[in-house]
Amino acid sequence: MQEREIHNRGERGFTLIELLIAIVVVGILAAVAIVGIAGLTNTGGKSACTATADAAKAASAAFYANQSPNAWPTSFDQMVTDSAAAPVNSPPVLELSNGVTAAGDTVTNGDWNLVGVFPGTGTAPTFDPKASGNCKTP
């Protein structure tokens, strides 16, 4: 009878193999979650870069409309400085949020860089966030 009691007591718990399998499954799920979350870290920066590219498109059109003879901007600097010369009733040409700087053909934030293509005063600039080199995250 004593042998029967020992056998019953062993059936109530988990075996070492069952515990190891559970730990391995939890580890695999955690690894998959970490990889998925790591891919999302630059998404916010890319969204902000894309939004800035859209704002730059609108700003270049506003710059063109504000110029007397009409001319396209040749750098981001022109769009930013032209905002002071814009008519009172129109919005600034290119408003940059805190931490975002414009210099030449690049708008930079700590998380991303947007490169614009400024062909000259007779041609509209392009700000394609999906082009090679645009919306790069350092």
Side-chain angles (χ1 to χ4, degrees):
M1 178 157 307
Q2 190 177 22
E3 192 175 314
R4 179 101 167 118
E5 288 176 17
I6 292 173
H7 183 65
N8 285 341
R9 202 174 354 163
E11 288 181 12
R12 285 188 275 173
F14 295 104
T15 65
L16 182 59
I17 301 249
E18 290 170 331
L19 290 173
L20 288 175
I21 289 173
I23 291 170
V24 167
V25 168
V26 168
I28 290 171
L29 290 174
V32 168
I34 288 171
V35 169
I37 291 170
L40 297 176
T41 56
N42 288 332
T43 303
K46 287 182 181 179
S47 296
C49 184
T50 302
T52 302
D54 292 341
K57 289 175 192 174
S60 66
F63 180 92
Y64 183 82
N66 286 338
Q67 295 303 303
S68 178
N70 291 350
W72 292 101
T74 56
S75 70
F76 281 115
D77 297 327
Q78 281 186 316
M79 289 191 287
V80 172
T81 57
D82 187 64
S83 63
V88 176
N89 293 332
S90 67
V93 174
L94 182 58
E95 247 182 84
L96 299 176
S97 58
N98 291 340
V100 180
T101 58
D105 65 348
T106 306
V107 173
T108 304
N109 186 334
D111 299 329
W112 52 265
N113 298 322
L114 172 67
V115 179
V117 178
F118 296 90
T121 58
T123 308
T126 56
F127 313 99
D128 184 5
K130 294 179 183 170
S132 175
N134 289 348
C135 287
K136 283 202 320 198
T137 52

